[in-house]
Amino acid sequence: MVVGATGNVGTSVVAALAADGAVGAVTGLARRVPDWRPAKTRWHAVDIEPGGPDLEPLFAGADAVIHLAWKFQPTHHPAETWRTNVLGSIRVFDAVARAGVPVLVHASSVGAYSPGPKDRAVDESWPTHGWPQAAYTREKAYLERVLDAYEQRHPDIRVVRMRPGFLFKRQSASEQRRIFAGRLLPGRLVRPRLLPAVPDLPGLRFQALHTDDAAAAYRAAVTLPVRGAFNLAADPPVDADVLARLFDARKLSMPAGPVRAALAAAWRLHLVPASPDLFDAVLRLPLMDAARAREELSWEPAHTSVEAIEEFLAGLRAGAGMDTAPLAADRAGAAS
């Protein structure tokens, strides 16, 4: 059972499970049933928010529930994202327990982590208090506390928390452009040599991963008897040097303040959907050590972080997408 099965991560997880000979059937839950029809998969249109249908009958008989559903927007109305992301997730967790599902795999994030180092990698014991100003990191951290208590109440349920870095693939490009950049970033402009410089900001060092590689870890977490949290990230960490090579541009050292001020002004004017608070969080996220996933899940990313971003950028230029509502191709962002 995959909750939130039609987005960036959900489509890759469904595809990975459908391709696994040990998996008999996959049920995908989403707000809208997609035209996409992977093998062994059936669909249900479900809203997980409070007031939505009872989830327990849908979960009854499932061997595992993978919870991926998440709403990034509207950042101007955090109570709305809280309703879906936190209250909806709690409804999923409670339904898993009532239905007697033995395995719950939850999509946490690097965003759940408290601010941390950029010069070394931290393991899964690093505190998960998030960055309190950003709704995304605040919600991810809150659900970590919810699951702490949930595991105490339900020791019979094998709970796994995935904490990936930033996830990219070609088919997610249009969705992620709409979520984070909006209309100010035409996809045709995201190409080498058209960007004269990339900002070299203090704290600009993060980890990326191909979404299909994250999906392979989710599949392993369902089939292997593991518990707890797993960091997921590919090498190398992405900084201004990596971005400069990707865009064939020079680096421009500058303080973060002016960039944040420009982003905050654009956000207040509803010109960009990404909150400046999320920008603050990104500059503070720690680098993660993914050794536990490699050892216990026998997991190794097939793509480097640079390859994942290159594929995503190619998708931006092409207006790439899939036959699901969240991943609908955005021709407005494609090269003409």
Side-chain angles (χ1 to χ4, degrees), residues 267-279:
W267 180 74
R268 285 194 297 270
L269 293 170
H270 293 262
L271 298 176
V272 297
S275 162
D277 297 325
L278 186 59
F279 170 80

Side-chain angles (χ1 to χ4, degrees), residues 8-228:
N8 176 19
V9 184
T11 50
S12 287
V13 169
V14 168
L17 293 172
D20 189 331
V23 175
V26 181
T27 301
L29 305 187
R31 285 188 295 165
R32 288 153 289 187
V33 172
D35 294 330
W36 180 51
R37 291 291 184 269
K40 299 189 296 190
T41 303
R42 61 179 180 175
W43 297 97
H44 292 282
V46 174
D47 192 335
I48 66 170
E49 289 187 358
D54 185 5
L55 301 174
E56 182 181 346
L58 290 171
F59 292 174
D63 295 313
V65 168
I66 300 176
H67 178 48
L68 308 170
W70 197 264
K71 182 184 286 185
F72 289 92
Q73 301 295 342
T75 55
H76 288 272
H77 301 283
E80 185 173 335
T81 59
W82 183 272
R83 179 177 173 84
T84 299
N85 299 338
V86 173
L87 302 184
S89 292
I90 291 171
R91 288 191 73 228
V92 170
F93 301 160
D94 288 345
V96 165
R98 292 196 308 271
V101 180
V103 180
L104 170 63
V105 182
H106 168 64
S108 189
S109 168
V110 62
Y113 280 121
S114 302
K118 300 285 190 176
D119 59 348
R120 61 183 177 86
V122 302
D123 66 16
E124 290 82 358
S125 66
W126 192 259
T128 51
H129 303 306
W131 176 248
Q133 289 178 236
Y136 175 81
T137 52
R138 186 167 61 241
E139 291 160 0
K140 289 293 188 184
Y142 187 90
L143 288 174
E144 290 276 352
R145 302 290 76 74
V146 169
L147 286 176
D148 289 344
Y150 183 89
E151 288 183 282
Q152 292 294 318
R153 295 195 309 272
H154 304 289
D156 53 320
I157 299 176
R158 182 167 66 82
V159 178
V160 181
R161 314 178 198 194
M162 292 301 195
R163 297 176 185 159
F166 295 99
L167 296 173
F168 299 104
K169 64 181 178 183
R170 177 183 175 87
Q171 297 92 333
S172 71
S174 292
E175 179 198 32
Q176 288 173 310
R177 187 181 83 92
R178 291 189 294 266
I179 288 173
F180 298 110
R183 61 183 181 273
L184 290 187
L185 182 65
R188 63 183 177 275
L189 298 182
V190 187
R191 60 177 66 247
R193 294 180 297 278
L194 287 184
L195 189 68
V198 297
D200 186 3
L201 306 175
L204 181 60
R205 197 162 192 247
F206 62 91
Q207 289 167 301
L209 181 67
H210 196 289
T211 312
D212 290 350
D213 288 331
Y218 276 93
R219 182 193 58 77
V222 167
T223 58
L224 296 173
V226 296
R227 292 175 177 262

Side-chain angles (χ1 to χ4, degrees), residues 282-318:
V282 169
L283 298 184
R284 291 166 171 80
L285 295 177
L287 297 184
M288 299 182 296
D289 182 349
R292 185 179 185 223
R294 287 180 164 89
E295 293 168 4
E296 297 189 27
L297 301 178
S298 299
W299 176 79
E300 190 68 38
H303 308 78
T304 67
S305 60
V306 174
E307 290 168 344
I309 295 172
E310 286 176 332
E311 182 180 311
F312 165 76
L313 293 175
L316 272 183
R317 295 190 289 271

